[in-house]
Amino acid sequence: MRKRRASRRRPRPKLAFSTAPFFRPPVRGALRHAADAGFEAVEVMVTQDPHTQEPHLLRPLADEHGLRIDAIHAPFLLVTRRVWGAEPTGKIYRAVHLAEEVGAPLVVIHPPYVWQVRFRRWAQENLAEFSERTGVTVAVENMFPIRLRGDRGLRFHASQDLEDIDRFPHLVLDTSHAAVSNLDIREFYGQYRDRIRHVHLSNNAGKGWDSHLPVHQDGVLPLGEFLGDLAADGFTGSVSLELDLRPWMQDEDELRGVLVQNREFCERRLSVARA
């Protein structure tokens, strides 16, 4: 009798829900909505809510809703001065400690602003060693130029040209940000697949601004094909849905419907056959 050859399946990318749309309300509501919509994991953005800052508060809250924490999004390095102070590296240290305590393998940070010279040097020279030493991957998110009327675009963040991105060992690909920067997300992934550890997934309206549309809505990004690329490639990181949910925030039934549609869209395309 011929023995069946054991099939080898590439790992399936993990799917998570980002709490970023619930930046102002307590994070408890975001976790409840994520669990109710069928998500198994979340990316938690650190806000002024103490439950996003303290592991002894966050971990039980996630357990209460049956959710795994796949990533911590460090607080914005400039805007949220009241969260962990204004020193960028201090925010990162606190975010990594939080990740360690709640079992999250990755911390997302925004790149340095152009005037943050010391922090830029630290990120480019020390981030790899810091990630290896702590066991928590610190990954830098791609941003986008802000266009003013009659202007080609101002970049407040440094290290956002492709040759500068090469200096970071770990990257987060934000699909809506890439659209604003006129980057092809499939080509970007193909070029930096060895460095991309995490994805912020959303669609974009193609009007030059960061729209973070739900993935099942019409937009300019080939998200189905992109998710197929990740699945076929055996991407081992997390795909985190980071959406603008303001149109549905006042109706819980509509909000749940949107979240379920987005989860199912992603699950279908991340479940392609893998030989």
Side-chain angles (χ1 to χ4, degrees):
M1 180 180 297
R2 296 178 59 185
K3 292 183 179 180
R4 291 184 178 180
R5 179 180 299 177
S7 62
R8 294 183 178 180
R9 289 186 175 271
R10 295 178 180 177
R12 175 182 174 179
K14 298 180 288 291
L15 182 64
F17 172 75
S18 170
T19 66
F22 296 82
F23 185 82
R24 297 190 183 279
V27 74
R28 177 181 292 274
L31 300 187
R32 176 174 62 83
H33 286 300
D36 187 50
F39 287 91
E40 297 179 355
V42 288
E43 172 186 341
V44 175
M45 174 173 278
V46 177
T47 68
Q48 296 186 45
D49 181 355
H51 285 83
T52 68
Q53 302 178 27
E54 302 294 342
H56 71 279
L57 298 176
L58 179 56
R59 185 63 180 266
L61 193 58
D63 290 344
E64 176 186 331
H65 291 88
L67 293 167
R68 184 181 71 249
I69 302 175
D70 276 359
I72 297 293
H73 195 313
F76 298 148
L77 300 181
L78 179 68
V79 178
T80 52
R81 286 177 174 267
R82 286 180 289 180
V83 181
W84 296 344
E87 175 58 38
T89 53
K91 290 177 183 286
I92 296 172
Y93 293 154
R94 289 285 301 271
V96 167
H97 173 70
L98 176 62
E100 289 176 321
E101 293 296 311
V102 301
L106 180 135
V107 164
V108 178
I109 67 170
H110 285 182
Y113 291 96
V114 292
W115 56 86
Q116 293 175 317
V117 178
R118 290 176 56 192
F119 174 51
R120 181 182 184 184
R121 186 181 305 115
W122 180 88
Q124 292 178 347
E125 296 177 0
N126 300 104
L127 209 53
E129 185 274 334
F130 181 68
S131 293
E132 184 176 354
R133 174 161 49 86
T134 61
V136 174
T137 299
V138 181
V140 181
E141 181 176 358
N142 63 298
M143 297 303 290
F144 54 91
I146 297 176
R147 291 182 173 84
L148 306 177
R149 182 173 297 180
D151 187 84
R152 295 173 58 188
L154 299 175
R155 288 191 180 272
F156 293 101
H157 292 91
S159 305
Q160 285 300 286
D161 293 329
L162 293 185
E163 57 269 25
D164 291 326
I165 288 176
D166 279 332
R167 301 181 183 182
F168 294 120
H170 308 297
L171 300 175
V172 176
L173 169 55
D174 186 299
T175 56
S176 183
H177 295 177
V180 181
S181 296
N182 295 315
L183 297 174
D184 184 299
I185 58 174
R186 299 182 72 186
E187 291 182 1
F188 189 96
Y189 174 72
Q191 183 173 351
Y192 293 102
R193 64 184 351 125
D194 293 335
R195 300 187 188 191
I196 294 174
R197 311 290 182 236
H198 190 72
V199 173
H200 283 165
L201 191 77
S202 63
N203 215 326
N204 186 274
K207 298 180 181 180
W209 50 281
D210 186 26
S211 46
H212 279 271
L213 296 177
V215 298
H216 71 285
Q217 286 192 338
D218 290 336
V220 299
L221 296 177
L223 296 181
E225 295 86 347
F226 172 71
L227 292 175
D229 292 342
L230 298 184
D233 199 39
F235 178 67
T236 58
S238 290
V239 176
S240 180
L241 281 162
E242 190 178 80
L243 310 174
D244 181 358
L245 297 172
R246 286 175 294 181
W248 303 277
M249 283 292 197
Q250 303 306 314
D251 189 314
E252 291 213 353
D253 289 336
E254 287 192 4
L255 178 59
R256 183 182 184 279
V258 169
L259 295 181
V260 170
Q261 282 181 293
N262 278 259
R263 175 181 59 77
E264 292 178 344
F265 176 96
C266 294
E267 288 179 342
R268 285 195 300 270
R269 286 155 179 81
L270 291 173
S271 298
V272 297
R274 299 175 301 280

